[in-house]
Amino acid sequence: MKYAVMGTATVGRAIAGRLDGLGHEVTMGTRDPGATRSRATPDAYGNPPWSAWSAAHPGVALATFAEAAGAAEVLVNATSGTASVAVFSELPASTVEGKTVIDIANPLDFSRGMPPTLDPVDTDSLGEQLQRAMPAARVVKTLNTMSAHLMVAPTTLAGDHTVFVSGDDAAAKGAVTALLVEFGWSAASIVDVGDITTARGTEMLLPLWLRLWGAFGNADFNFHIQR
Ligand code: NAP
């Protein structure tokens, strides 16, 4: 399968690296490929410069957001939540039409410091905003409620834990569920919450996730739904 992973930071690299390892064709999207390639210092999260990551993942291509989307069958949103709607709204319609868009982003607003707030919240979600911005695409919200390393290697955390799936299109959710199984999630750990409006609920787990992160001092944890 041909994937466009939109975003070059922690999540984009985790997803792109895993997809590449599974044998998929991966192009990562970024604002300015030349600028991304020439960054010489670690990013704000301590990730090594792109050149170092790219050298370890020679099979992963880098392109503009539009070029990456145009070449792909499935798109992954791993951009900053405050930028996601603009990034996807600016794509030519032909690059997203009929395609599944896996939305991992959270609409965290850091403008008033830590902890960040959510915008939108309660009556809307980033997942819904993206679906409205791309009515001909099939947005599936998933993986946004855990740290990037667990998204693609869930068995590194002992015990049962949960990944949520939200979206309007049953076939797209089925394809994303199959990808989650490829990543290592068991069928029992994948919870279909419902249509894309249910992304409000999973995005609104972030205030709790962030406080748990503070309490535990690390990101080696996840939510688990017991029924
Ligand atoms: P991030 O810093 O939130 O996002 C980085 C990406 O956003 C970069 O590719 C950057 O583009 C793009 N970007 C930033 N500002 C932009 C702007 N104004 N216009 C266009 N693009 C812009 O990195 P992240 O930590 O990997 O998170 C990605 C998403 O996943 C976020 O929405 C986050 O909330 C969510 N998430 C993160 C984690 C985690 O463990 N980090 C876990 C769950 C969910 P360039 O490539 O051009 O720099």
Side-chain angles (χ1 to χ4, degrees), residues 9 12 35 56 76 87-88 97 103 105 110 131 145 154 160 179 189 196 221:
V76 178
V87 167
F88 282 84
E97 194 171 356
D103 174 29
F110 293 89
Q131 184 62 80
T145 54
D160 298 328
L179 179 64
S189 65
I196 194 63
F221 66 92

Side-chain angles (χ1 to χ4, degrees), residues 6-13 29-32 36 39 43 45 47 62 65 77-84 86-87 103-108 110 126 143-149 151 206 209 219:
M6 314 288 262
T8 58
T10 311
V11 174
R13 293 182 190 191
T30 189
R31 281 170 284 190
D32 178 343
T36 298
R39 283 175 196 153
D43 67 16
Y45 313 104
N47 294 312
L62 184 68
F65 286 126
N77 177 26
T79 63
S80 167
T82 52
S84 296
V87 167
D103 174 29
I104 305 178
N106 285 303
L108 299 175
F110 293 89
L126 176 58
L143 292 171
N144 60 306
T145 54
M146 70 204 68
S147 182
H149 68 290
M151 297 176 189
L206 263 293
W209 189 95

